[in-house]
């Protein structure tokens, strides 16, 4: 999560407390607060690495250069503080910039300014968009993209003063809308939604090395750590029926809520209907060798048999050496990692395996982003016995998330995947997060071919590098796990925070270039001051209607581009997800 530079953390925390429904602020500590570790897993992890928190870089060692470029720091600690630099704008840029794109519509409705998830599903010829994050949900009818209708709100709506005071139709304390995947179930003859239930961190834990009571609260959280399965009989929650619930605590599969261990399902499930589902999860508290102060778990991958959606069956758990506390082999690997002790690095997976084709359709490999543990190729031909084929390591790149996402949309045609992390500090107060181009044509020996070009401002902008524009700058992701229609060969749309939507032309894979972009304005009259820096956080693509949806801290945009093709504003011709 990104925080505004100019306000004290207590103000930011107040908004988070309202949004999450929590009553205690996690921000009443700082780096000057004494270390206070009581949790055995955190204590052992801290002992293995010691405290090697990166020092703040020397002034003048990074910043604007004479040629108008920006040199990033080589390493920084995780921070929510302000680090303005000479040459940075002293205002929020109200201008927008566009190339080879068109704004088809804009809707100033904000579910949350920091991060949201999205799904699209069709019922009876109409198309619905779900935008949500945990306890805040909105459902829109987007059948006509130029006349979007808001159908339902649960939780808060955000505006210039932060979240509204009263939640609408609030969730129960132990419930939420988990990051979801929706697919057609042949067995049930209905759409099925799988929602991930992950531990709460934001609004609760700031620093595991200094807040033992918050660590204990997460260990004994009063919500599911796992996933829920819903039968969908219509587009609204009243139409959904809970048909299964599982914990990812595989050693205590029958443990009740409050006694379940582990992280739960992180981010979104990789769900393919009546097939195998892959999730990111740490099954228990031993999977804890991660430095990031806001997180207790280093997650691996689980495979689940979803052939009967009413009875999901666990198949396998996969990780890498260097994740498990108390295991001598894992601890030895962790101690030799240059990240050990930096109190900054995210270790383990955040997202599930990225799978271009399920094994049931002839696919053999999944690709994973394991944070500081690197990039992995996994043989999924036998989901009950997943195997790591290769693990590609990268130099430490902190602060920020080093490995979060793998785009596999082009791999069938080119043998290339695109591996990236994303920024966490604002003001470009961390190394730049490159998008790495990896050749996986030999799965046992993946090779980095290069990096994608860095977005640059247009000549008429008042800045020469996006770092000057304030807020966060760097790649996030290319969209949701499942998006309507089929991907376009040679096109890669990346959300880039303060640089908006950047669309890469890969028609020549050896020479990628940015061929289109939309950089939205900052809107101070619509966004709480502490949320300004997180300008855009997600893109979702309707490939069947040739539309981009860009989600920002001040609402969302419908965009078109010749790179996608002529946009359609008519109802979809074929239902999504496909009923096959």
């Amino acid at each position: 999560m990104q925080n505004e530079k100019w306000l004290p953390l207590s103000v930011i925390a107040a908004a988070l407390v309202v949004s999450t429904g929590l009553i205690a602020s996690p921000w009443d500590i700082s780096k000057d607060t004494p270390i206070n570790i009581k949790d055995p897993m955190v204590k052992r992890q801290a002992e293995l690495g010691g405290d090697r928190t990166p020092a703040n870089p020397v002034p003048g060692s990074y910043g604007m250069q004479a040629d108008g470029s920006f040199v990033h720091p080589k390493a920084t600690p995780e921070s929510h503080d302000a680090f303005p630099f000479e040459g940075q704008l002293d205002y929020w840029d109200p201008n927008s910039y566009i190339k080879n794109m068109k704004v088809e519509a804009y809707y100033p409705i904000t579910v949350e300014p920091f991060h949201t998830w999205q799904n699209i599903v069709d019922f009876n010829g109409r198309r619905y968009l779900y935008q949500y994050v945990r306890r805040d949900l909105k459902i829109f009818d987007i059948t006509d993209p130029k006349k979007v209708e808001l159908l339902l709100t649960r939780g808060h709506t955000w505006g210039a003063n932060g979240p509204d005071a009263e939640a609408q139709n609030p969730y129960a304390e132990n419930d939420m809308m988990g990051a979801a995947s929706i697919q057609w179930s042949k067995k049930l003859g209905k759409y099925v939604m799988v929602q991930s239930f992950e531990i709460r961190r934001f609004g609760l834990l700031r620093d595991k090395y200094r807040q033992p009571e918050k660590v204990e609260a997460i260990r004994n959280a009063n919500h599911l750590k796992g996933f829920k399965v819903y039968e969908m009989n219509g587009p609204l929650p009243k139409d959904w029926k809970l048909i299964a619930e599982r914990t990812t605590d595989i050693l205590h599969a029958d443990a009740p809520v409050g006694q379940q261990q582990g992280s739960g399902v992180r981010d979104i499930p990789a769900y393919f209907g009546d097939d195998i589902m892959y999730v990111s999860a740490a099954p228990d508290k031993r999977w804890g060798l991660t430095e990031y102060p806001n997180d207790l778990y280093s997650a691996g991958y689980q495979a689940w048999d979803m052939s009967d959606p009413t009875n999901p069956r666990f198949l396998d758990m996969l990780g890498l050496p260097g994740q498990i506390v108390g295991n001598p082999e894992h601890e030895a690997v962790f101690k030799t990692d240059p990240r050990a002790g930096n109190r900054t690095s995210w270790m383990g997976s955040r997202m599930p395996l990225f799978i271009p084709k399920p094994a049931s359709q002839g696919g053999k490999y999944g690709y994973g982003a394991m944070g500081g543990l690197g990039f992995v190729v996994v043989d999924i031909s036998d989901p009950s016995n997943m195997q790591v084929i290769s693990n590609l390591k990268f130099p430490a790149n902190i602060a920020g998330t080093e490995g979060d996402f793998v785009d596999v949309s082009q791999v069938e045609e080119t043998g290339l995947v695109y591996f990236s992390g994303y920024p966490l500090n604002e003001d470009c107060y961390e190394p730049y997060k490159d998008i790495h181009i990896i050749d996986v044509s030999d799965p046992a020996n993946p090779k980095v071919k290069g990096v994608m070009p860095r977005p640059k401002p247009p000549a008429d902008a008042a800045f020469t590098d996006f770092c000057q524009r304030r807020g966060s700058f760097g790649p996030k992701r290319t969209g949701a796990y499942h998006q309507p229609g089929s991907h376009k060969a040679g096109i890669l749309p990346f959300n880039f925070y303060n640089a908006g939507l950047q669309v890469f032309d890969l028609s020549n894979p050896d020479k990628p270039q940015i061929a289109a972009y939309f950089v939205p304005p900052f809107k101070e009259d619509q966004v709480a001051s502490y949320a300004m820096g997180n300008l855009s956080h997600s893109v979702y693509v309707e490939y069947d209607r040739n539309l981009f949806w860009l989600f920002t801290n001040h609402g969302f945009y419908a965009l078109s581009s010749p790179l996608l093709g002529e946009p359609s504003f008519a109802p979809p011709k074929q239902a999504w997800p496909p009923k096959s």
Side-chain angles (χ1 to χ4, degrees):
M1 192 182 76
Q2 311 299 309
N3 292 326
E4 154 64 19
K5 314 174 176 51
W6 310 117
L7 290 185
L9 292 176
S10 59
V11 177
I12 300 167
L16 282 170
V17 168
V18 172
S19 177
T20 59
L22 298 169
I23 60 173
S25 168
W27 304 100
D28 54 358
I29 54 96
S30 71
K31 297 299 183 183
D32 295 327
T33 303
I35 297 294
N36 184 12
I37 304 174
K38 296 181 180 179
D39 182 87
M41 300 297 111
V42 177
K43 181 175 290 188
R44 180 58 178 161
Q45 173 255 311
E47 290 172 348
L48 290 170
D51 186 352
R52 294 188 284 172
T53 304
N56 290 326
V58 176
S61 64
Y62 73 99
M64 294 302 299
Q65 306 299 297
D67 63 359
S69 64
F70 183 87
V71 170
H72 287 253
K74 293 183 178 179
T76 58
E78 178 269 346
S79 178
H80 295 273
D81 294 330
F83 292 93
F85 55 87
E86 185 177 353
Q88 185 183 51
L89 299 184
D90 60 3
Y91 59 92
W92 295 107
D93 180 20
N95 299 306
S96 62
Y97 309 91
I98 193 165
K99 174 184 176 181
N100 209 18
M101 300 190 82
K102 180 182 178 182
V103 177
E104 301 290 354
Y106 163 60
Y107 301 96
I109 304 171
T110 305
V111 173
E112 199 215 64
F114 304 112
H115 170 77
T116 63
W117 298 104
Q118 304 88 34
N119 298 99
I120 281 179
V121 63
D122 296 340
F123 280 96
N124 301 319
R126 303 202 67 82
R127 176 155 288 184
Y128 300 91
L129 168 68
Y130 303 157
Q131 188 189 3
Y132 56 95
V133 58
R134 299 192 71 93
R135 297 169 63 82
D136 293 336
L137 162 70
K138 293 188 187 299
I139 297 180
F140 302 92
D141 184 328
I142 61 168
T143 308
D144 182 347
K146 293 192 175 185
K147 294 181 180 179
V148 167
E149 297 180 60
L150 174 61
L151 302 180
L152 179 138
T153 292
R154 295 197 71 173
H156 298 277
T157 299
W158 284 66
N161 297 315
D164 49 17
E166 295 294 329
Q168 297 184 46
N169 190 22
Y171 287 93
E173 168 59 24
N174 63 350
D175 199 10
M176 65 175 185
M177 173 79 174
S181 286
I182 301 171
Q183 293 289 298
W184 180 257
S185 169
K186 290 183 181 179
K187 182 177 180 64
L188 300 184
K190 297 180 179 182
Y191 283 127
V192 167
M193 171 191 285
V194 181
Q195 291 186 21
S196 61
F197 277 68
E198 181 182 1
I199 55 165
R200 294 172 184 165
R201 295 181 293 117
F202 291 116
L204 178 59
L205 178 65
R206 170 68 180 87
D207 190 333
K208 65 185 178 184
Y209 305 109
R210 293 172 170 86
Q211 293 178 295
E213 72 285 355
K214 310 293 186 185
V215 172
E216 183 68 13
I218 289 175
R219 297 291 194 208
N220 300 292
N222 67 339
H223 60 80
L224 174 68
K225 296 178 178 179
F227 62 91
K228 293 182 179 181
V229 185
Y230 292 89
E231 171 190 293
M232 301 179 73
N233 298 299
L236 301 178
K238 66 180 179 62
D239 307 316
W240 307 344
K241 177 184 176 183
L242 180 66
I243 57 174
E245 182 176 308
R246 294 290 185 272
T247 178
T248 46
D249 180 357
I250 54 179
L251 297 181
H252 312 90
D254 297 323
V257 168
Q259 297 180 28
Q260 295 167 3
Q261 292 189 27
S263 65
V265 174
R266 312 212 104 156
D267 281 21
I268 196 166
Y271 171 54
F272 299 92
D274 301 341
D275 206 320
I276 307 302
M277 179 175 74
Y278 301 87
V279 299
S280 167
D284 57 66
K285 62 186 178 181
R286 297 172 304 144
W287 290 65
L289 293 178
T290 182
E291 291 289 335
Y292 195 64
N294 173 245
D295 193 33
L296 305 181
Y297 301 101
S298 177
Y301 301 108
Q302 292 185 359
W304 289 77
D305 181 351
M306 298 293 290
S307 57
D308 180 358
T310 68
N311 185 31
R313 294 189 306 109
F314 171 75
L315 296 177
D316 196 19
M317 177 79 216
L318 182 71
L320 290 176
Q323 294 192 269
I324 301 176
V325 176
N327 180 298
E329 178 188 356
H330 282 261
E331 291 190 351
V333 171
F334 178 78
K335 286 184 68 173
T336 61
D337 193 306
R339 298 163 181 81
N342 68 23
R343 307 288 169 98
T344 303
S345 287
W346 183 285
M347 314 286 276
S349 65
R350 176 81 215 150
M351 301 281 283
L353 287 172
F354 297 88
I355 299 170
K357 185 184 295 183
S360 62
Q361 300 176 20
K364 186 174 182 180
Y365 299 109
Y367 306 91
M370 295 283 285
L373 300 180
F375 168 81
V376 293
V377 180
V378 177
D379 186 336
I380 59 168
S381 54
D382 179 1
S384 63
N385 186 28
M386 297 182 289
Q387 299 289 326
V388 174
I389 300 301
S390 55
N391 178 202
L392 188 60
K393 302 288 189 179
F394 289 82
N397 183 301
I398 56 167
T401 301
E402 297 175 81
D404 164 79
F405 180 77
V406 185
D407 185 281
V408 298
S409 65
Q410 314 294 312
V411 69
E412 301 275 302
E413 293 89 359
T414 67
L416 301 177
V417 299
Y418 299 83
F419 169 82
S420 58
Y422 62 87
L424 289 173
N425 292 353
E426 291 192 5
D427 297 331
C428 288
Y429 190 68
E430 63 180 62
Y432 180 65
K433 300 298 179 283
D434 276 310
I435 303 168
H436 299 276
I437 306 168
I438 303 178
D439 185 341
V440 293
S441 53
D442 178 359
N445 188 30
K447 296 180 179 179
V448 177
K449 290 194 63 176
V451 298
M452 299 288 270
R454 177 187 177 113
K456 294 182 178 180
D460 61 345
F463 48 94
T464 56
D465 190 280
F466 277 107
C467 286
Q468 294 172 276
R469 203 176 185 230
R470 300 177 60 179
S472 293
F473 169 60
K476 187 66 185 285
R477 297 167 186 157
T478 60
Y481 205 100
H482 300 292
Q483 300 177 118
S486 301
H487 76 273
K488 292 285 195 301
I491 300 296
L492 207 61
F494 257 98
N495 175 72
F496 249 87
Y497 288 101
N498 75 356
L501 176 59
Q502 301 280 327
V503 184
F504 294 84
D505 180 353
L506 308 178
S507 54
N508 182 348
D510 294 326
K511 294 183 179 180
Q513 58 182 332
I514 296 171
Y517 57 73
F518 172 66
V519 181
F522 286 100
K523 290 182 176 283
E524 290 187 83
D525 61 335
Q526 294 177 222
V527 181
S529 57
Y530 52 83
M532 286 292 293
N534 205 62
L535 179 59
S536 65
H537 60 259
S538 182
V539 61
Y540 193 106
V541 188
E542 288 189 65
Y543 286 105
D544 60 351
R545 296 200 296 179
N546 295 327
L547 290 168
F548 298 110
W549 295 93
L550 179 66
F551 298 89
T552 76
N553 61 5
H554 56 267
F556 59 100
Y557 295 82
L559 305 162
S560 64
S561 170
L563 293 175
L564 270 184
E566 187 69 23
S568 170
F569 304 104
K573 294 180 180 179
Q574 295 183 327
W576 179 262
K579 296 180 178 181
S580 59

